Amino acid sequence: MPGPELKSFRESRWRYSQFVILGLLLAGLVKWLSPLGWWVSLGIGAVLGVTYFLFERKRGVI
């Protein structure tokens, strides 16, 4: 019985998770390096994650 077909990361349902993970890592870094609160840090991380997503989309990777 054949196993599930392996897909590339571009075809995977997890392809957008990299932007969420990057945003969370950047939010943690902002919180650690600055006196800002968590909500502000999460907002900055979200903006940077979306910016990276739009950059990759413009480049044609996504």
Side-chain angles (χ1 to χ4, degrees):
M1 189 167 192
E5 183 179 326
L6 296 176
K7 298 179 182 179
S8 70
F9 188 70
R10 289 177 111 185
E11 298 168 351
S12 168
R13 63 182 171 147
W14 298 102
R15 66 182 172 263
Y16 299 114
S17 64
Q18 63 184 332
F19 305 108
V20 174
I21 293 169
L22 178 70
L24 290 173
L25 287 173
L26 290 172
L29 186 65
V30 168
K31 175 62 180 152
W32 182 52
L33 294 175
S34 70
L36 298 173
W38 272 112
W39 290 113
V40 176
S41 298
L42 286 173
I44 292 170
V47 167
L48 292 174
V50 169
T51 303
Y52 179 58
F53 169 75
L54 294 174
F55 171 73
E56 290 293 328
R57 192 170 205 187
K58 184 177 182 180
R59 248 181 41 169
V61 176
I62 294 179

